[in-house]
Amino acid sequence: MQYSEKVMDHFMNPRNVGEIENADASGTVGNAKCGDIMKVTLKIENGVVVDAKFKTFGCGSAIATSSMATEMIKGKTLDEALRLTNKAVAEALDGLPPIKMHCSLLAEQAVKSALQEYFIKNNLLTDENRHFFDKLDEDAHDAG
Ligand code: FES
């Protein structure tokens, strides 16, 4: 069996599908090679991600990882949300086939892109936290 039960579950019953109205931040990313696109919207109150939703036009792993990534940041402080990694998302899903790891990177990038918008808008970027956004420049198709 190539996909874990958790991947199948989050693909068949994705959590947090949709778009938050009047979101405090949103981020859209795409992968040029597979053509998949993800949009993440966030509601942020008092430094806490109180809600997260996603819309993914993409493969099953892209849907499962965006579902899990939004679950993992809900209720977390901005500081904790910044520490989300695609590896943690893949692990929470009990793993992904190597060829599908880039899908989890796309999910991380969608979350980071929304957070980056919020950090820039609210002047929260510092020399200490800037590096959390480095992965936005990575080519998601090369992710191992
Ligand atoms: Fe590209 Fe899944 S095949 S995100």
Side-chain angles (χ1 to χ4, degrees):
M1 164 101 181
Q2 209 187 354
Y3 289 105
S4 73
E5 275 176 33
K6 279 195 190 161
V7 172
M8 289 311 291
D9 178 34
H10 279 264
F11 168 55
M12 304 292 270
N13 311 292
R15 329 302 198 256
N16 313 314
V17 175
E19 194 166 338
I20 297 173
E21 265 182 60
N22 303 317
D24 296 301
S26 78
T28 303
V29 294
N31 182 296
K33 287 184 191 141
C34 65
D36 291 0
I37 297 167
M38 278 182 204
K39 178 173 186 180
V40 164
T41 46
L42 304 175
K43 191 94 209 145
I44 297 166
E45 281 169 16
N46 300 321
V48 175
V49 180
V50 291
D51 201 9
K53 289 200 188 298
F54 78 90
K55 274 188 178 166
T56 290
F57 183 79
C59 74
S61 299
I63 290 166
T65 54
S66 8
S67 168
M68 181 55 91
T70 47
E71 278 292 270
M72 288 171 77
I73 58 165
K74 274 206 305 190
K76 298 278 161 58
T77 63
L78 288 174
D79 219 43
E80 289 165 339
L82 274 184
R83 288 171 165 73
L84 180 85
T85 64
N86 72 304
K87 285 209 170 89
V89 173
E91 271 165 29
L93 288 167
D94 291 336
L96 283 170
I99 195 171
K100 288 286 170 182
M101 276 307 280
H102 80 272
C103 316
S104 66
L105 181 57
L106 201 60
E108 179 189 335
Q109 288 176 323
V111 166
K112 294 276 169 80
S113 163
L115 287 171
Q116 188 184 47
E117 185 194 90
Y118 187 83
F119 272 61
I120 290 172
K121 212 162 53 184
N122 293 280
N123 277 324
L124 296 171
L125 268 187
T126 65
D127 288 343
E128 280 73 52
N129 63 29
R130 215 173 284 278
H131 69 96
F132 286 112
F133 300 106
D134 286 353
K135 277 213 207 151
L136 282 172
D137 301 326
E138 270 177 36
D139 179 352
H141 229 91
D142 297 331

